[in-house]
Amino acid sequence: MKDRTLYSIGETARTCEVTPRMLRHYESLGLLKPDRVDPSSHYRYYSVETMRRIQTIRYLVDEGFSLEEIRDAITSDDLEGLQAKFMEKIDETQEKIEYYHQRLDSLKSWAALIIEGKQTLRHRETEIKTRFLPQQPYFYYIEDFTGSSLSPRECDAYIETRYFTQSKGYGHSMVDMGGAFHVLYDSYQDRLDGRNTKMTLLQILFPNSKSREKTMEFGGFMAVTSYHIGPLSEIGDTYRRMIEWTREHGYELEGNSCERHILDVYSTVNEDNFVTEVLLPVKGNYQELGLLHNWK
């Protein structure tokens, strides 16, 4: 820069990599003022020291401060107050970091379900087998539809809507939980016969969730399992195949069931591409592991 005292608004804008309009905006908010305004032309002129203030404003914007917060910070000579503002911004930033970590976990878990569902559809994987369901913390919501006039499809939609509302009420963010919806039924036979009235909806709770309200440990048992491909209205066919398989292989069932929704209305509008894992817990491992909790 040339050795002179004041620089035009255009020169100042180019040097500081902002627009003249932004400089005027800063001025309107009381963040800075020109060192000189020509009385006849109204041209604005700025000193190097004012340019340094412009850079301070840009720096603080990048640090996450609003222009109003910046105005309060740079128009006083209060180091204690300035430190307090920085400590407050540190706390806010930490909260955002935790939130975005949770969001990342939620996005990854949803993407994993899509991959699992696509692979199941591609290979038409409906083999019946056994697997161990690990114990994990879940957020849960229980609804009893006894006496309700809702259809099964309406019950599914209703409990999911209530689940979201209740989770918010208990202090959970939508990214506190992730992965597949697990719907528990106390009796698989009632589920088959369309007589089930009680449903428990669970979703995995991420480690950094802010609230532990309405959470429970679920899992820690062996189950007979199979994927069901297609509409939930036809899931009884998969149940019947699985029940017959357990008889042939000598397994004794607990009597309850869990449906893990992998691809559903949240991922596809085509019900023929719905993928649901049905789990029928087998007897012999609850009491000795101490994991029966209060499902039944």
Side-chain angles (χ1 to χ4, degrees):
M1 296 179 68
K2 297 177 181 179
D3 185 14
R4 54 178 170 163
T5 305
L6 298 176
Y7 300 85
S8 70
I9 191 170
E11 291 174 310
T12 302
R14 284 192 297 273
T15 301
C16 297
E17 295 186 346
V18 295
T19 65
R21 181 178 181 181
M22 183 58 70
L23 292 178
R24 294 189 184 95
H25 182 54
Y26 289 166
E27 182 182 344
S28 70
L29 293 176
L31 287 160
L32 58 83
K33 60 181 180 179
D35 293 274
R36 177 173 178 268
V37 178
D38 187 280
S40 58
S41 66
H42 301 294
Y43 287 165
R44 287 164 167 78
Y45 296 90
Y46 303 84
S47 67
V48 172
E49 287 304 316
T50 301
M51 291 184 194
R52 294 181 70 185
R53 171 165 284 206
I54 294 167
Q55 296 306 93
T56 301
I57 294 169
R58 295 184 65 207
Y59 172 78
L60 291 172
V61 167
D62 285 348
E63 290 291 338
F65 287 85
S66 69
L67 293 179
E68 288 75 14
E69 290 172 325
I70 295 170
R71 179 188 60 208
D72 295 340
I74 67 176
T75 55
S76 67
D77 187 23
D78 178 10
L79 291 180
E80 292 295 329
L82 184 62
Q83 178 184 337
K85 290 181 185 298
F86 269 87
M87 298 306 296
E88 182 180 320
K89 193 58 63 177
I90 288 171
D91 291 339
E92 289 178 8
T93 302
Q94 187 61 47
E95 287 185 7
K96 289 179 180 179
I97 289 172
E98 292 173 2
Y99 173 81
Y100 281 108
H101 275 308
Q102 295 287 72
R103 176 185 282 185
L104 183 61
D105 287 341
S106 183
L107 289 168
K108 286 181 176 179
S109 62
W110 198 332
L113 288 177
I114 296 172
I115 294 169
E116 180 182 355
K118 284 176 60 183
Q119 291 295 323
T120 304
L121 291 171
R122 179 177 300 163
H123 299 290
R124 309 306 293 179
E125 177 58 62
T126 57
E127 176 188 1
I128 300 172
K129 52 192 174 184
T130 60
R131 81 171 179 94
F132 181 78
L133 186 71
Q135 183 186 19
Q136 295 185 78
Y138 289 76
F139 176 80
Y140 72 93
Y141 176 69
I142 301 174
E143 186 70 50
D144 192 333
F145 292 99
T146 302
S148 172
S149 60
L150 297 175
S151 68
R153 182 187 292 265
E154 290 172 326
C155 288
D156 290 343
Y158 179 85
I159 193 172
E160 289 171 11
T161 301
R162 290 290 297 161
Y163 163 86
F164 286 125
T165 302
Q166 290 295 317
S167 64
K168 284 285 192 182
Y170 288 110
H172 295 282
S173 163
M174 284 296 96
V175 298
D176 280 354
M177 299 83 69
F181 283 135
H182 294 61
V183 183
L184 310 185
Y185 299 94
D186 289 349
S187 166
Y188 70 75
Q189 192 60 58
D190 285 350
R191 169 67 166 151
L192 272 173
D193 297 339
R195 292 184 285 113
N196 60 281
T197 56
K198 179 184 172 185
M199 298 169 65
T200 302
L201 188 64
L202 298 95
Q203 201 172 21
I204 292 173
L205 192 73
F206 293 136
N208 293 327
S209 299
K210 293 181 179 179
S211 173
R212 304 295 295 187
E213 289 292 323
K214 299 297 286 186
T215 61
M216 62 184 282
E217 294 291 322
F218 178 72
F221 58 81
M222 291 293 296
V224 175
T225 177
S226 179
Y227 288 115
H228 170 74
I229 298 175
L232 287 174
S233 59
E234 300 172 3
I235 203 168
D237 296 337
T238 298
Y239 270 87
R240 283 183 277 271
R241 283 194 309 108
M242 294 173 64
I243 293 168
E244 182 61 29
W245 186 92
T246 59
R247 290 171 181 162
E248 293 174 357
H249 290 77
Y251 288 98
E252 188 176 359
L253 298 176
E254 281 282 351
N256 42 24
S257 69
C258 172
E259 295 176 13
R260 176 172 164 262
H261 293 198
I262 299 161
L263 292 183
D264 54 14
V265 67
Y266 295 100
S267 300
T268 176
V269 296
N270 184 357
E271 291 192 10
D272 290 336
N273 286 334
F274 281 9
V275 175
T276 311
E277 184 186 18
V278 179
L279 298 106
L280 301 178
V282 299
K283 288 187 176 181
N285 51 30
Y286 286 103
Q287 287 77 8
E288 61 192 48
L289 292 176
L291 301 175
L292 184 56
H293 52 76
N294 60 352
W295 178 3
K296 296 190 70 176

